[in-house]
């Protein structure tokens, strides 16, 4: 099978795509013909996902897969058994069993995927089973109980069904239950999986990859926050993207920007106990910081400027916590970033370095307000005149990953069709995918479910062009359709969401940091994963046909 990737771009960005027209990144792979439209959202309608021509997908784990080593209510990959089946309390009630009094188990929402290859393998729950060398790790974003029960899983990609999913940990090394987990990445210097929790008061974790995983709270150095995206750079720094929705601005559903971009600079690479946490500060045309106070005005001038094509802003990093000065007790980062005059954004969720740039270009998504009624959306079809309601994608350029300053510009401005962008990953040196998490409200408003798109990072921006090509029109499984119609039965989310988009060759060394290598689909090592969150909680691998 040819494993390179060629994606329909360029001319295909125009609204009227001609099937078979391609502008390929270098390589000899299958041409990808985009999906022309998103799947429709309609009551009782559970359409299948549609992938671009030239792509197919296979399930690597399903929410219903039993973990090989259940513990308490954690029995399945995507379900907790807080609501047992009325016929067998040992298994969870995955769908309502009694329509007169419907209830169902907690769906755990496996989130960001991290793919790793260990040539000598890793231990699992069985001391006699060979788990292979290829592994996919996930934290789980939701959980039952108070506090909610989070956990870490590992999909053993070469294992049989009985050993397919290993429950790695449900508590930290101090015996505290894990908080629900959102983001993850591999730190090759620390030899740890780093896990974020998207909750201002919950810990940030570092976990060992072998079973049982030892999970340590590293909040004394990295801090606590609504962290979601986390990513190493080539110098061993950690870039963290926060996702906290702000309060509503007066008389509108528009939210105040309330989330920051952080960089943790360890004392030495891999040191998760001693270092500095910095926050990104953007300067306006007069050289003054764009702060929470200045961003709080409805359609403020600085917000409008940030979300207009062609503008470029100086940036600098401001230190908000230094363990050498401030100690190593866990702390909350968000108020420190605000106090230091860092620049907030409308729910930036994930970021990634462009391959081949020596970690000099960092792209991050901004989810926006995910509501068509926002007063800060601007033109529905282009987003022009808006101040971030539809979200978008930003590009930060620095002379090197440890540089103190840089330049920020808008790469893509969201609109009604392409909005709520969340996970982001590079498919090739120039082509990246960003996927939507628009939410049930906006799905209903625009009569469309989520999609995944391909962007061309060799462009300066998307000014004057229509939307990027769609590689995935996500469907909605029957379980999610039931949840959407019934408010999740009081505990679960509704429509399916695309999350955990991840492309990697699994290299666990320092040369394997995402962004260090240009993805090369011809060598047979690069793999592409994503999770269809909510509903049946399916994790897929995308492969060329």
């Amino acid at each position: 099978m040819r494993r390179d990737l060629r994606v329909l771009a360029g001319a295909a960005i125009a609204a009227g795509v001609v099937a078979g027209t391609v502008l390929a990144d270098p390589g000899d792979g299958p041409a990808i013909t985009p999906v022309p439209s998103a799947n429709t959202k309609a009551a009782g309608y559970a359409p299948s996902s549609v992938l671009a021509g030239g792509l197919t997908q296979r399930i690597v784990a399903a929410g219903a897969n039993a973990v090989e080593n259940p513990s308490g209510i954690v029995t399945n990959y995507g379900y907790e058994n807080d609501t047992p089946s009325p016929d067998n309390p040992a298994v969870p009630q995955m769908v309502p069993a009694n329509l007169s009094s419907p209830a169902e188990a907690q769906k755990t929402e496996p989130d960001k995927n991290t793919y790793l290859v260990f040539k000598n393998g890793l231990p699992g729950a069985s001391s006699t089973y060979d788990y292979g060398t290829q592994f996919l790790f996930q934290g789980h974003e939701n959980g039952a109980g108070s506090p909610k029960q989070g956990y870490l899983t590992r999909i053993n990609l070469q294992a049989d069904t009985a050993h397919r999913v290993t429950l790695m940990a449900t508590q930290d090394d101090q015996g505290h239950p894990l908080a629900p987990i959102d983001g993850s990445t591999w730190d090759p210097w620390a030899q740890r999986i780093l896990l974020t929790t998207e909750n201002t008061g919950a810990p940030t974790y570092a976990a060992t990859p072998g079973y049982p995983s030892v999970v340590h709270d590293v909040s004394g150095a990295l801090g606590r926050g609504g962290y979601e995206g986390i990513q190493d750079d080539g110098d061993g720094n950690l870039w963290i993207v926060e996702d906290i929705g702000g309060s509503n601005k007066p008389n509108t559903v528009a939210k105040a920007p309330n989330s920051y971009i952080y960089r943790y600079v360890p004392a030495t690479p891999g040191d998760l106990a001693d270092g500095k946490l910095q926050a990104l500060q953007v300067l306006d045309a007069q050289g003054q910081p764009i702060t929470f106070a200045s961003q709080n005005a409805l359609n403020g001038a600085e917000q409008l400027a940030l979300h207009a094509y062609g503008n470029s802003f100086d940036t600098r990093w401001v230190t908000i916590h230094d363990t050498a000065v401030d100690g190593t007790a866990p702390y909350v980062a968000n108020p420190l970033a605000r106090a230091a005059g860092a620049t907030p954004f409308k729910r930036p969720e994930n970021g990634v370095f462009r391959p081949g740039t020596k970690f000099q270009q960092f792209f991050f998504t901004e989810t926006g307000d995910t509501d068509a009624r926002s007063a800060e959306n601007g033109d529905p079809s282009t987003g022009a005149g808006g101040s971030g309601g539809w979200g978008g994608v930003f590009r930060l350029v620095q002379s090197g990953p440890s540089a103190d300053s840089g330049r920020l510009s808008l790469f893509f401005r969201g609109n009604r069709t392409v909005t709520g962008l969340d996970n982001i990953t590079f498919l090739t040196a120039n082509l990246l995918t960003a996927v939507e998490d628009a939410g049930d409200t906006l799905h209903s408003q625009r009569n469309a479910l989520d999609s995944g798109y391909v962007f061309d990072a060799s462009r300066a921006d998307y000014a004057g062009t229509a939307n990027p090509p769609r590689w995935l029109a996500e469907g909605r499984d029957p379980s999610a359709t039931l949840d959407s119609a019934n408010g999740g039965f009081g505990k679960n989310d509704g429509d399916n969401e695309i999350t955990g988009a991840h492309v990697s060759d699994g290299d666990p060394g320092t040369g394997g940091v995402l962004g260090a290598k240009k993805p090369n689909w011809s060598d047979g090592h690069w793999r592409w994963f994503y999770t269809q969150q909510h509903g049946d909680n399916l994790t897929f691998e995308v492969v060329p046909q």
Side-chain angles (χ1 to χ4, degrees):
M1 176 186 296
R2 296 185 302 174
R3 298 301 300 271
D4 316 62
L5 193 64
R6 292 188 296 171
V7 178
L8 186 60
I13 293 170
V17 172
V18 179
T21 303
V22 299
L23 176 63
D25 229 21
D28 183 27
I32 294 179
T33 305
V35 184
S37 61
N39 265 312
T40 298
K41 174 175 171 126
Y45 180 52
S48 61
S49 292
V50 181
L51 274 78
L55 296 177
T56 188
Q57 64 185 15
R58 56 192 178 209
I59 298 171
V60 297
N65 282 137
V67 298
E68 65 169 341
N69 53 328
S71 175
I73 63 171
V74 183
T75 57
N76 296 77
Y77 176 62
Y79 294 88
E80 290 179 348
N81 191 11
D82 63 317
T83 304
S85 164
D87 294 333
N88 183 352
V91 298
Q93 184 174 306
M94 297 178 179
V95 292
N98 183 347
L99 295 182
S100 63
S101 181
E104 61 182 19
Q106 177 69 60
K107 298 173 181 179
T108 66
E109 304 179 16
D111 205 286
K112 190 67 181 294
N113 293 296
T114 294
Y115 173 59
L116 294 169
V117 176
F118 291 92
K119 292 182 179 179
N120 295 323
L122 290 173
S126 171
S127 60
T128 59
Y129 187 78
D130 181 357
Y131 287 86
T133 60
Q134 301 169 12
F135 307 95
L136 192 65
F137 295 82
Q138 305 82 25
H140 292 250
E141 190 179 1
N142 213 338
S146 182
K148 291 183 176 181
Q149 177 63 70
Y151 58 98
L152 174 65
T153 54
R154 188 183 75 197
I155 300 172
N156 307 305
L157 292 166
Q158 296 163 305
D160 60 19
T161 302
H163 301 89
R164 188 67 166 180
V165 181
T166 302
L167 175 61
M168 300 296 290
T170 60
Q171 61 183 27
D172 66 16
D173 56 4
Q174 301 301 307
H176 304 304
L178 293 183
I181 296 164
D182 197 309
S184 70
T185 197
W186 172 248
D187 185 336
W189 289 274
Q191 290 290 290
R192 295 292 186 273
I193 302 163
L194 304 180
L195 306 165
T196 58
T197 55
E198 203 184 359
N199 183 308
T200 53
T204 304
Y205 298 116
T208 58
Y211 175 84
S213 180
V214 178
V215 182
H216 184 64
D217 182 345
V218 293
S219 307
L222 278 68
R224 298 181 174 185
Y227 298 163
E228 182 166 348
I230 184 166
Q231 176 64 53
D232 289 84
D233 65 29
D235 289 348
N237 306 313
L238 293 166
W239 294 50
I240 303 171
V241 180
E242 185 175 46
D243 173 18
I244 299 178
S247 59
N248 283 16
K249 296 184 179 182
N251 304 314
T252 180
V253 297
K255 299 292 184 67
N258 190 41
S259 305
Y260 297 89
I261 307 297
Y262 300 94
R263 183 177 68 178
Y264 173 69
V265 182
T268 58
D271 190 337
L272 302 177
D274 299 289
K276 299 177 181 179
L277 187 70
Q278 303 174 323
L280 186 69
Q281 186 180 74
V282 183
L283 307 179
D284 65 16
Q286 289 71 46
Q288 298 301 307
I290 300 174
T291 65
F292 178 83
S294 59
Q295 288 278 69
N296 215 10
L298 183 64
N299 283 316
E302 291 172 340
Q303 279 182 289
L304 289 167
L306 273 174
H307 294 91
Y309 285 123
N311 294 335
S312 180
F313 301 85
D314 286 327
T315 64
R316 61 192 178 198
W317 292 99
V318 293
T319 297
I320 63 173
H321 188 276
D322 183 349
T323 55
V325 176
D326 303 309
T328 58
Y331 64 95
V332 178
N334 186 278
L336 298 180
R338 183 182 300 183
T343 300
F345 295 86
K346 279 182 179 277
R347 296 184 55 207
E349 297 206 39
N350 281 274
V352 67
F353 290 96
R354 181 181 174 190
T357 65
K358 298 181 180 179
F359 298 93
Q360 294 175 352
Q361 294 186 26
F362 183 72
F363 287 75
F364 65 90
T365 54
E366 187 181 45
T367 298
D369 290 325
T370 60
D371 195 320
R373 300 167 297 173
S374 172
E376 298 186 328
N377 285 344
D379 187 302
S381 62
T382 66
S387 55
W390 297 119
V393 182
F394 285 91
R395 171 164 40 199
L396 175 63
V397 179
Q398 298 186 167
S399 61
S402 297
D404 292 328
S405 61
R407 298 284 292 181
L408 180 77
S409 59
L410 182 71
F411 173 68
F412 173 78
R413 182 173 55 213
N415 53 68
R416 186 183 181 95
T417 301
V418 186
T419 185
L421 296 174
D422 186 334
N423 277 231
I424 184 171
T425 191
F426 271 88
L427 304 173
T428 71
N430 293 318
L431 301 175
L432 70 150
T433 178
V435 298
E436 290 181 313
D437 175 16
D440 283 26
T441 296
L442 188 51
H443 292 169
S444 297
Q445 291 169 339
R446 66 181 187 176
N447 192 33
L449 301 173
D450 287 336
S451 293
Y453 297 92
V454 176
F455 298 83
D456 183 357
S458 67
R459 306 170 59 103
D461 57 40
Y462 274 72
T465 64
N467 293 322
R470 178 186 286 105
W471 69 266
L472 172 66
E474 188 179 38
R476 188 170 65 171
D477 59 49
S479 181
T481 305
L482 281 171
D483 286 341
S484 180
N486 294 279
F489 301 98
K491 65 173 70 172
N492 293 314
D493 285 316
D495 297 337
N496 294 121
E497 169 196 338
I498 311 165
T499 193
H502 178 67
V503 172
S504 171
D505 67 351
D507 182 351
T510 56
V513 170
L514 295 180
K517 303 176 184 179
K518 297 179 181 180
N520 178 10
W521 293 88
S522 64
D523 70 6
H525 298 299
W526 289 85
R527 302 179 75 171
W528 177 2
F529 301 95
Y530 81 93
T531 295
Q532 183 170 285
Q533 206 179 47
H534 312 156
D536 291 340
N537 285 316
L538 304 174
T539 294
F540 293 98
E541 179 174 10
V542 180
V543 294
Q545 286 181 326

